[in-house]
Amino acid sequence: MPLIPEEPQIHESVPGPRATPAAGRTAPTPRPVPGPGPRPAPRRPGSPGPNRGSAGTSSAQSQRTTSDATKPLPTAPAASAAKTPAAKATPQIQLIPATVEGALDAADEAVDLLLDSGRAPADILVLTTGEQHPWAAHELSFGEASYWAQHDAGDDVFYADAGADRAKGRPVVIVAVNGGANDAVAHTLPEAMGRAGTLLIVCGDPKRINTLIGPGA
């Protein structure tokens, strides 16, 4: 009686246990192994690489991304692109009557009143059209470097000549008209107004000041 050869048993080619698909879930279809063919050219330095997003990204999302990339970006109107800076508010002007000799004393009294009302010392700048304020003359005796260093620090009331271009504006500017030619004073007052943020105080002869800047200023 001839022997019937037994059917050879097929063994798994991959060693190790094989994952059993969960109940109700189909086993994933094995991906095809790419066959031989031309290899992709290596990327040049700086060229963008492939998208390394999640593997579950749908083709619809890819198409939407492609279509969005081809849409032209909206162009902002020219008027909104260049924003116009807000106009600087005109400071309030106060005139304190004083003679040429008493202008410095009137300016010092104005500083004291401002400090007593709660104004910070760093907010006040005092300018003189004639002789320097005694504080400025004393500090300048140690050299201009240390004098202007105090100005740049901005920690206290600062006194300067009205013609000093280096003096920066502050919220309150006080001008002591204690001398100087009319042309110089007429040039100083508009500049002081530009340096003042909220308040400009002018200590001097009201008739002379109104003549130089006009009563409606």
Side-chain angles (χ1 to χ4, degrees):
M1 181 176 178
L3 297 177
I4 299 175
E6 297 181 358
E7 294 183 18
Q9 297 182 0
I10 301 176
H11 299 279
E12 294 287 341
S13 59
V14 179
R18 184 174 183 180
T20 304
R25 184 181 301 177
T26 58
T29 304
R31 297 183 180 180
V33 179
R39 297 185 178 180
R43 291 191 296 114
R44 292 179 297 174
S47 61
N51 185 8
R52 298 180 180 269
S54 60
T57 305
S58 62
S59 59
Q61 291 178 343
S62 301
Q63 294 177 359
R64 183 167 62 251
T65 304
T66 305
S67 61
D68 291 342
T70 57
K71 292 181 180 180
L73 296 177
T75 304
S80 61
K83 295 183 179 180
T84 304
K88 180 180 180 294
T90 303
Q92 180 185 358
I93 302 176
Q94 292 183 6
L95 177 58
I96 299 179
T99 62
V100 174
E101 295 79 10
L104 283 179
D105 292 336
D108 288 339
E109 292 179 3
V111 171
D112 293 338
L113 291 174
L114 289 169
L115 296 178
D116 292 341
S117 65
R119 177 69 69 173
D123 291 347
I124 304 174
L125 172 66
V126 180
L127 302 175
T128 55
T129 60
E131 293 182 358
Q132 287 274 18
H133 190 278
W135 180 92
H138 177 266
E139 295 299 325
L140 283 171
S141 65
F142 299 102
E144 291 193 0
S146 60
Y147 169 76
W148 287 110
Q150 298 183 61
H151 167 270
D152 296 339
D155 297 332
D156 205 346
V157 181
F158 193 78
Y159 301 82
D161 183 84
D165 297 334
R166 189 171 174 179
K168 298 180 181 179
R170 293 193 178 187
V172 180
V173 175
I174 302 175
V175 179
V177 185
N178 60 336
N182 288 339
D183 294 342
V185 175
H187 180 71
T188 295
L189 295 178
E191 285 191 349
M193 185 180 301
R195 290 174 177 174
T198 58
L199 178 61
L200 171 64
I201 300 176
V202 182
C203 304
D205 183 7
K207 183 178 179 180
R208 180 187 182 191
I209 294 172
N210 288 330
T211 301
L212 294 176
I213 64 177

